[in-house]
Amino acid sequence: MSNTNSSFWVHKEGHKPELLCGSSASYTVVNGHFIMLVCSTIILGGFLKTLLKNSEVTVLMILSLLGFVIGQLAHNSIEVHKIVYPLLKTPSYSLYCYFSPMIIFMAALDVDFCILKNVFWQVLLIGLVSLLMTFIILGYVVLKFNKDLWDLQSSILFSMIVGMTDPVHSVNSLKTIGISKTYTDIIRGESMIICGFTSICFGVFRSDFLHISMFTEFRVILGLCLDILGSIICGYSCSRIIQFILTDLFSNTLTSIILCISMVYMTFYIGESFGMSGMIALVTVGLNFDSLSFKPRIEVTITKFLIMFSSVYQQLIYTFFGIVIGCGETKYLRFHTVVFMLILFATVNFVRLLTIVLVSPLLTHANYEYNWRWGIVIAWSGIKGIFSLLLAPDIHNLADQKVESPQLFILYVQGISLMTMGINSYMMAHSARTLGLCATSLPRQMAIQNAIKHIQEIIQNTITLFKTEKVLTNVNWTLVEEKTKIEYIIPSDAYNNVSHDDIEEESLTEEVLIEEARLHVAIIQMSSFEKQCNDGILSVEAARILISATKSFCPIQGKFMSIYDVSTYVRARSWLIKFKNMLTSLEYHKDKALFILYGDNKFLLFVCHVVFSEEFEYAGHIITVMYIYPMIMHLWPMARELNVSGLISVNNYFVFLYIFQAAMKLIIPLLINIVDVQIKKRLRLMYSITKGYVKSQEDTKLLIKQISSRESVYQKLYEILETNKRDAVKELGLIEHEGRDVVIALKTRQAIRRVIAKALKNLTFLWSRGIIDKHEGIEMNKVFLAKIKALNNFPMAIPPPTPDKYLHNIVWLENKDVLIEFFKERAKLAYFDYGDVICREGEMPQGIYLIISGMAILHSSPPTFGIDSSLRSERGSKSMFTEYCTSGDIIGELSCLLKRETEYTAICETILQACFISLEDLYEGFDVFWPSLEYKIWLKFALSVAYQYFESSLIDEDLEFQKCVTFNLAYVETLSSYNEMTIDNVTMKFVIIVYGSVIDTKTEVPYLAPCILPKTCEQIQGTSDLSKLLVVQPSDPAKNTDDPKVMVSTGLRMSQREYNWKRKYEERNFPLSWNRSQTTRIQLP
């Protein structure tokens, strides 16, 4: 960078530098109106882009011609020459540094690194082959057909520049017609590799050109490799800094944008200043960024700024270089110039085609979607752009032999650039459409129709709801329905010879529909991971790993990603545990525990047996005792003089041995602590990944109805998702069993994060309604953000609570001392080994088990929900259900409530510890706390069933258990056989059957649990011995009160006697005396 040019064209012999137009100023240089020229160019470019929306190449061509006209005026007029003189005095390298950083960063930011990583070697091979073909063929054509007498060096530099593919324009035409992002990223990745390599080569020429003959080939290649490696390291380091800036909770959007753009230029200048490639550094920065690298909603803003700057920069570059060409002598513009430009255009496309032909076998092997059609499209992607233009002046500046018409270098590059932008872009899009690569598959069209149908149903339901409002009685609903009807027509070039009206009747195999649905599932999962990350449920690292793994497995046909695939992707953590065990075994002198070395290596087993034997330990003590002999010799003067060298050697040996032993005593515990921290980090990461995966499976199950309307496909998708979720829940249990303290800390941190997020949401609501003013809202927002930031220092592990503390986790005990003390007196600790059966299907329940640690698997037939067998047989499903229970889950609640046989078999998957409350103690609690305790257990069961089966319908309801109890947002109604209940749609928003069955008394339509009753149902009658219904009330703050009278008249159905008993107990703190003779108190550790 120290050898930058003092003007656009530099004369190497040390004479006065030549200017862009070939003649220096013969007048006194004063500040002209160059800034006005720049602003006018930007305004004109904006107007042209507005008028010619779909033809960017036309805009650039007009600006180039306008620049040429201005250059010609400057060549013949001093007044115009004064305006453009600042441009002519600007070094070409400065223009390269001004404009290229922002554009290359935007191009790299749009590339998906996960996709590029999977095809990196193929992309690298395409780039290298393209460079080689360009050197050979294009260099030969330039030397053979050019009549401007360029030397060999100028021809090589020119061929390198013309061989550069623009990473922005090369894919623009494909992005607008819906081509797969995999291929656009392949093209962009190849173009960035070529641009980076070319920038390094030109950097070498700029800095060491005069001494390059002194280098050997090995030193040149080594220097290039070090430049590439150094640029990557520089870019990666700067990307960490930029990500830290962009994810800072306290930075506002404007500050983040300014710092981001500033760091982009700083990264480029740092790389160039130290002799590396700033372009490769910025490519590294852009590839390290994804949607998770930004705060929510800031990515769109930064992307818009980058697009705006890039568009303005391109318009300025083509205008400026048009001026440069116009300032030169027109006598060099001959007919041969046009002919040579056409030859270059044909050669560039031939080289591109030859490159694709050579690498097609490799691409076919690497990607099952690649075929000759894609090869034709990619062959037209050799579009040249601004990077070739920015480097074009350096051909003359770095050449040994100067030519009389340096502006021809720019003319040829700019002409080829505009020709490829126009012709190649059109041919790419036309080839893709003609060859059917833009065609929307039939399953995809059906999915679009299903989505449109679903949206239309939502619109119709909204209109039906609005019709009931008195304010809207005079609305012309016929016109509303007509204007809101969606008629989406798939473009004619989006499908192959299939009538749009016949899509639904087209016969599609189940495999085709499953494959299309699989891609939808992957998209939904990635969306779920990103949403969880933005909500604070999932860490950025875990979300990034899950998204990367999903993208890695997405190209594998028929592959649904399971949690085991994610674990393989992350890599096993077993080596850390083995390493820790090995370090721990080295302290065997402190602990004589038997060390077991796993593996089949006989030599290692033999060495291990020798080292950890008692004889080996005794031999060490004997060697220590033997050191007494040289010490005695050292005290004897005559013996010391005769054996000086030997005593020194022995002494050095023993000193080294003792120092090494002492160092190991200090290092080994330190290494154990370091490895233990890494194991905890990996456990926390794996638990977070698995928890996020489970949530994504749940989110996907809510949307699979919209993915495919065919019942067989829906059932298969549901089974796959349920199986994957079950496997993930099992992994959660195993991870929790392996590191309970780590999991407890992670769960606690996530709970704090969710509570603060909920508080922030409420703060935003109060702020938007004017209840809190702007200043107060900003200050309170800072307080919450500070608490979120403080979670970064949250402990990595929290010791598990004592067994009695787990009673506080039982939601229906409501963390009330009177209830907890009652059951603490009666609860017992139960221990189970691996494979033990906790309860069997068909047996009467003995009580409930609250799992403290460990994991159990539940096997059962399909749940009956208390439905009569004659009705239940019509449901059809006979498959076995499997579910995993881990710490905090309760086994046996429903069976104890009903005093009926257990409907599942619970088997321990690990060593399990549980808190056991017997059936007699539970019903004694029912009698003492009647009827509130039994009711709360039913309420907890009803809420659980409602969210398990109808989460999508209740997504806007805040039905937390404690809020339902306190504010009566939802309550449970009981119906016996033949009892009737009237449904009021005004006071009852949802009525959900969670147990049993009912019948509509008007239509006699039966409804079986679990089921949401339709709005048309006005009165129902119980048809089972016992039916439970969850009634969700409309959210009305005026009715949400904890007044005792309201409690009596609503769903709690609490008797006045029970309420008075509880109130007296709480006021007087009267100690109840329980019968302790038949129970065992939990002993605190």
Side-chain angles (χ1 to χ4, degrees):
M1 196 167 178
S2 59
N3 297 328
T4 55
N5 308 328
S6 60
S7 66
F8 221 100
W9 307 122
V10 176
H11 199 272
K12 289 291 180 179
E13 282 79 7
H15 298 292
K16 186 176 179 179
E18 293 184 39
L19 297 180
L20 200 60
C21 59
S23 61
S24 59
S26 59
Y27 50 83
T28 304
V29 179
V30 295
N31 294 329
H33 302 283
F34 181 70
I35 299 299
M36 184 179 294
L37 173 64
V38 173
C39 295
S40 301
T41 303
I42 296 174
I43 294 172
L44 178 61
F47 277 117
L48 290 174
K49 196 165 185 179
T50 303
L51 295 174
L52 306 170
K53 294 181 179 179
N54 297 324
S55 183
E56 186 175 2
V57 64
T58 306
V59 176
L60 297 179
M61 190 177 298
I62 293 173
L63 292 175
S64 299
L65 292 175
L66 178 63
F68 179 80
V69 172
I70 295 174
Q72 282 293 293
L73 292 175
H75 183 72
N76 299 301
S77 172
I78 296 178
E79 295 300 325
V80 181
H81 192 273
K82 290 180 180 180
I83 297 175
V84 301
Y85 189 75
L87 170 65
L88 306 181
K89 283 291 293 181
T90 304
S92 59
Y93 182 73
S94 298
L95 288 180
Y96 172 76
C97 295
Y98 294 158
F99 293 120
S100 61
M102 194 70 69
I103 299 174
I104 192 65
F105 175 70
M106 185 195 71
L109 190 63
D110 195 41
V111 175
D112 194 326
F113 180 66
C114 298
I115 296 177
L116 188 62
K117 181 175 61 176
N118 294 334
V119 292
F120 174 76
W121 295 111
Q122 292 85 348
V123 172
L124 181 62
L125 180 63
I126 296 175
L128 294 178
V129 173
S130 179
L131 284 172
L132 182 61
M133 293 295 103
T134 301
F135 279 138
I136 297 174
I137 300 176
L138 195 59
Y140 172 78
V141 169
V142 172
L143 290 173
K144 183 72 174 177
F145 296 97
N146 185 27
K147 295 183 179 180
D148 295 314
L149 302 178
W150 294 350
D151 62 348
L152 178 62
Q153 181 180 321
S154 299
S155 300
I156 292 177
L157 292 176
F158 180 81
S159 63
M160 290 176 62
I161 287 176
V162 175
M164 293 174 66
T165 304
D166 188 85
V168 177
H169 292 285
S170 59
V171 297
N172 278 351
S173 60
L174 296 181
K175 291 172 64 177
T176 57
I177 58 177
I179 292 295
S180 172
K181 187 170 174 56
T182 302
Y183 293 100
T184 59
D185 285 350
I186 288 176
I187 296 171
R188 252 193 188 149
E190 177 217 350
S191 63
M192 288 190 296
I193 288 175
I194 295 175
C195 289
F197 184 80
T198 306
S199 67
I200 286 182
C201 292
F202 271 78
V204 172
F205 275 95
R206 288 192 199 100
S207 58
D208 298 309
F209 176 76
L210 296 177
H211 309 285
I212 196 156
S213 59
M214 299 170 56
F215 287 124
T216 62
E217 292 81 355
F218 174 76
R219 294 188 63 184
V220 171
I221 296 174
L222 181 61
L224 290 175
C225 295
L226 292 178
D227 285 345
I228 295 173
L229 183 61
S231 302
I232 294 174
I233 294 174
C234 175
Y236 181 81
S237 303
C238 292
S239 69
R240 300 296 100 184
I241 299 174
I242 299 175
Q243 286 186 16
F244 175 78
I245 294 172
L246 295 178
T247 55
D248 184 24
L249 294 173
F250 292 97
S251 63
N252 56 44
T253 303
L254 181 59
T255 305
S256 298
I257 293 173
I258 294 174
L259 289 175
C260 177
I261 294 176
S262 302
M263 282 300 300
V264 166
Y265 277 98
M266 183 63 70
T267 303
F268 183 85
Y269 294 148
I270 290 174
E272 293 290 325
S273 299
F274 287 94
M276 298 177 289
S277 172
M279 187 173 291
I280 292 182
L282 284 181
V283 168
T284 306
V285 172
L287 292 178
N288 274 280
F289 278 18
D290 53 27
S291 58
L292 302 177
S293 303
F294 305 89
K295 290 191 299 184
R297 296 179 297 276
I298 198 176
E299 180 188 10
V300 177
T301 307
I302 291 180
T303 303
K304 287 182 178 179
F305 267 89
L306 292 175
I307 293 174
M308 179 186 69
F309 279 115
S310 299
S311 178
V312 171
Y313 285 176
Q314 290 182 67
Q315 294 168 9
L316 290 175
I317 290 168
Y318 278 86
T319 305
F320 287 171
F321 282 98
I323 295 174
V324 170
I325 298 171
C327 287
E329 295 287 344
T330 56
K331 64 180 181 179
Y332 298 107
L333 302 179
R334 303 183 297 270
F335 177 74
H336 174 74
T337 304
V338 179
V339 174
F340 184 62
M341 191 179 300
L342 294 175
I343 293 174
L344 287 175
F345 174 75
T347 305
V348 165
N349 286 290
F350 173 75
V351 170
R352 185 68 179 169
L353 178 62
L354 183 60
T355 301
I356 299 302
V357 169
L358 292 176
V359 299
S360 286
L362 182 63
L363 290 176
T364 304
H365 176 74
N367 195 323
Y368 70 92
E369 291 183 351
Y370 182 83
N371 50 40
W372 64 270
R373 297 180 179 88
W374 283 114
I376 293 176
V377 173
I378 297 177
W380 285 107
S381 64
I383 300 174
K384 315 307 171 185
I386 58 172
F387 296 105
S388 299
L389 268 178
L390 290 172
L391 291 176
D394 280 341
I395 300 175
H396 177 74
N397 296 335
L398 300 176
D400 279 334
Q401 299 179 8
K402 303 301 179 182
V403 296
E404 296 180 355
S405 55
Q407 68 273 12
L408 289 181
F409 293 121
I410 299 177
L411 175 63
Y412 290 135
V413 174
Q414 190 160 354
I416 294 173
S417 172
L418 292 172
M419 291 174 67
T420 53
M421 278 187 195
I423 299 174
N424 287 31
S425 296
Y426 171 79
M427 290 303 300
M428 284 178 69
H430 180 71
S431 301
R433 291 191 180 98
T434 304
L435 298 174
L437 300 179
C438 304
T440 303
S441 63
L442 293 179
R444 176 62 178 162
Q445 296 176 47
M446 294 181 67
I448 293 174
Q449 288 189 352
N450 290 334
I452 295 172
K453 182 179 179 182
H454 179 67
I455 295 172
Q456 192 64 54
E457 290 175 356
I458 294 175
I459 293 174
Q460 193 61 43
N461 293 337
T462 305
I463 293 174
T464 304
L465 182 63
F466 283 169
K467 286 181 179 179
T468 61
E469 297 185 11
K470 295 180 180 180
V471 182
L472 302 176
T473 53
N474 297 328
V475 174
N476 188 342
W477 292 110
T478 303
L479 185 60
V480 172
E481 291 177 354
E482 179 183 347
K483 294 297 182 181
T484 55
K485 185 177 181 181
I486 300 177
E487 295 181 353
Y488 178 79
I489 301 176
I490 300 176
S492 58
D493 59 348
Y495 50 90
N496 288 327
N497 301 324
V498 180
S499 173
H500 181 68
D501 298 329
D502 298 334
I503 292 175
E504 294 182 352
E505 300 177 3
E506 185 71 23
S507 177
L508 295 173
T509 62
E510 186 171 307
E511 290 75 14
V512 175
L513 293 174
I514 286 289
E515 179 62 19
E516 185 70 24
R518 183 185 69 86
L519 301 178
H520 281 282
V521 168
I523 295 172
I524 294 171
Q525 287 179 335
M526 288 188 286
S527 176
S528 175
F529 299 145
E530 188 169 343
K531 185 178 183 301
Q532 292 180 59
C533 182
N534 293 334
D535 293 342
I537 301 174
L538 202 60
S539 66
V540 174
E541 184 181 5
R544 187 171 284 122
I545 289 174
L546 283 166
I547 293 175
S548 300
T550 305
K551 291 178 180 178
S552 298
F553 288 101
C554 198
I556 304 176
Q557 196 165 8
K559 177 65 177 177
F560 286 85
M561 186 183 70
S562 68
I563 190 61
Y564 304 115
D565 297 324
V566 181
S567 301
T568 304
Y569 181 84
V570 178
R571 308 262 181 164
R573 61 185 179 277
S574 58
W575 70 272
L576 283 172
I577 298 175
K578 291 181 179 179
F579 185 54
K580 180 185 175 182
N581 292 338
M582 183 186 70
L583 293 174
T584 305
S585 68
L586 293 177
E587 294 189 310
Y588 69 98
H589 58 280
K590 297 180 180 179
D591 185 5
K592 290 288 185 177
L594 180 63
F595 173 70
I596 301 176
L597 181 67
Y598 299 96
D600 300 328
N601 194 312
K602 295 182 179 180
F603 177 75
L604 289 179
L605 291 173
F606 173 75
V607 172
C608 176
H609 176 73
V610 172
V611 170
F612 292 102
S613 63
E614 292 186 356
E615 291 81 359
F616 188 83
E617 184 178 358
Y618 296 153
H621 295 320
I622 292 173
I623 292 175
T624 303
V625 174
M626 290 173 60
Y627 187 55
I628 299 175
Y629 178 72
M631 290 178 63
I632 295 174
M633 292 183 65
H634 182 74
L635 297 175
W636 188 6
M638 184 178 297
R640 183 173 64 243
E641 293 178 0
L642 294 174
N643 300 279
V644 173
S645 59
L647 288 173
I648 292 175
S649 300
V650 172
N651 185 67
N652 291 339
Y653 167 74
F654 278 98
V655 169
F656 170 77
L657 190 63
Y658 289 139
I659 293 176
F660 178 75
Q661 185 178 7
M664 291 301 293
K665 289 181 180 179
L666 296 175
I667 293 174
I668 289 177
L670 180 63
L671 287 176
I672 290 176
N673 291 334
I674 294 174
V675 172
D676 190 54
V677 170
Q678 295 301 317
I679 290 175
K680 289 180 178 179
K681 285 183 178 179
R682 187 55 61 91
L683 283 174
R684 184 174 64 177
L685 176 63
M686 283 304 303
Y687 189 88
S688 182
I689 288 172
T690 310
K691 194 70 177 289
Y693 180 84
V694 171
K695 183 67 170 65
S696 73
Q697 299 298 107
E698 295 173 350
D699 294 341
T700 306
K701 285 198 297 184
L702 298 176
L703 300 173
I704 54 177
K705 272 291 186 183
Q706 281 72 49
I707 295 177
S708 179
S709 58
R710 186 177 292 186
E711 186 64 25
S712 60
V713 176
Y714 167 78
Q715 288 294 338
K716 189 166 185 179
L717 284 177
Y718 188 88
E719 291 174 3
I720 292 172
L721 295 174
E722 188 64 29
T723 302
N724 289 342
K725 177 187 172 183
R726 190 164 58 243
D727 293 340
V729 172
K730 179 181 178 181
E731 285 295 307
L732 282 178
L734 295 175
I735 295 172
E736 186 168 353
H737 179 70
E738 186 176 348
R740 286 183 62 198
D741 53 348
V742 177
V743 173
I744 290 173
L746 179 61
K747 286 183 175 180
T748 305
R749 185 182 183 278
Q750 290 177 344
I752 296 172
R753 181 68 175 82
R754 294 180 68 179
V755 170
I756 297 175
K758 186 73 174 179
L760 278 171
K761 186 178 180 181
N762 293 333
L763 174 63
T764 304
F765 174 79
L766 296 174
W767 192 350
S768 63
R769 294 299 187 271
I771 301 174
I772 297 177
D773 62 24
K774 183 177 181 180
H775 176 71
E776 292 173 345
I778 293 174
E779 293 300 321
M780 293 180 68
N781 188 66
K782 288 181 180 179
V783 172
F784 287 128
L785 293 180
K787 289 185 176 295
I788 293 176
K789 195 170 185 178
L791 291 177
N792 294 331
N793 300 322
F794 197 78
M796 193 177 298
I798 296 178
T802 54
D804 63 303
K805 297 295 182 183
Y806 273 89
L807 292 174
H808 294 265
N809 297 336
I810 301 180
V811 66
W812 39 264
L813 293 182
E814 299 183 84
N815 207 22
K816 293 185 176 179
D817 293 337
V818 59
L819 293 170
I820 292 173
E821 286 298 327
F822 176 82
F823 286 106
K824 186 188 295 185
E825 297 286 344
R826 291 157 174 76
K828 302 176 183 177
L829 286 178
Y831 297 90
F832 299 92
D833 203 348
Y834 170 77
D836 288 351
V837 178
I838 302 175
C839 58
R840 294 185 183 276
E841 184 176 359
E843 294 181 351
M844 291 300 296
Q846 302 298 316
I848 63 173
Y849 295 87
L850 169 63
I851 299 178
I852 297 175
S853 64
M855 182 175 63
I857 183 173
L858 308 183
H859 296 288
S860 69
S861 303
T864 62
F865 291 102
I867 303 170
D868 186 78
S869 58
S870 60
L871 299 174
R872 190 169 66 245
S873 60
E874 299 177 2
R875 298 188 133 194
S877 176
K878 300 296 181 183
S879 59
M880 293 294 293
F881 280 64
T882 304
E883 186 178 354
Y884 290 93
C885 295
T886 58
S887 178
D889 292 333
I890 299 177
I891 298 176
E893 272 182 315
L894 184 60
S895 301
C896 290
L897 278 175
L898 300 170
K899 282 190 175 179
R900 293 181 181 177
E901 294 85 356
T902 306
E903 293 188 350
Y904 48 76
T905 300
I907 303 174
C908 295
E909 283 286 295
T910 63
I911 297 175
L912 186 140
Q913 184 182 15
C915 177
F916 174 70
I917 300 176
S918 67
L919 187 65
E920 294 77 10
D921 294 334
L922 182 63
Y923 272 84
E924 183 181 351
F926 289 170
D927 293 337
V928 174
F929 302 101
W930 183 88
S932 64
L933 183 59
E934 184 177 2
Y935 168 80
K936 290 171 185 174
I937 299 179
W938 273 113
L939 177 61
K940 181 255 182 184
F941 169 78
L943 291 174
S944 175
V945 172
Y947 269 111
Q948 181 179 357
Y949 290 93
F950 311 109
E951 184 177 359
S952 59
S953 301
L954 303 175
I955 191 107
D956 296 326
E957 305 296 327
D958 189 10
L959 299 180
E960 294 183 8
F961 177 84
Q962 195 59 45
K963 288 186 177 181
C964 291
V965 173
T966 306
F967 302 112
N968 202 34
L969 301 177
Y971 60 89
V972 176
E973 284 284 0
T974 304
L975 274 183
S976 301
S977 181
Y978 302 111
N979 286 357
E980 294 184 352
M981 172 183 170
T982 302
I983 298 177
D984 185 359
N985 289 324
V986 177
T987 60
M988 299 177 179
K989 188 174 182 179
F990 294 104
V991 178
I992 305 173
I993 309 173
V994 295
Y995 189 81
S997 59
V998 299
I999 190 173
D1000 189 337
T1001 56
K1002 184 177 180 180
T1003 62
E1004 296 186 356
V1005 175
Y1007 297 101
L1008 312 179
C1011 173
I1012 298 181
L1013 294 179
K1015 295 292 184 182
T1016 57
C1017 193
E1018 299 177 354
Q1019 191 174 35
I1020 57 175
Q1021 182 183 50
T1023 56
S1024 297
D1025 295 338
L1026 178 67
S1027 297
K1028 293 286 184 179
L1029 296 90
L1030 178 67
V1031 179
V1032 180
Q1033 299 191 101
S1035 56
D1036 187 354
K1039 295 181 181 180
N1040 292 344
T1041 176
D1042 54 355
D1043 186 85
K1045 296 179 182 179
V1046 177
M1047 294 172 66
V1048 172
S1049 63
T1050 56
L1052 282 177
R1053 306 296 187 264
M1054 183 180 291
S1055 67
Q1056 188 67 33
R1057 176 182 63 83
E1058 171 65 10
Y1059 175 75
N1060 291 335
W1061 180 88
K1062 290 181 65 182
R1063 184 178 60 184
K1064 289 178 182 178
Y1065 176 80
E1066 293 173 356
E1067 290 177 354
R1068 300 177 185 176
N1069 196 19
F1070 181 75
L1072 300 178
S1073 60
W1074 312 113
N1075 182 10
R1076 305 183 183 181
S1077 59
Q1078 298 178 358
T1079 60
T1080 303
R1081 182 182 178 87
I1082 296 179
Q1083 299 296 325
L1084 299 179

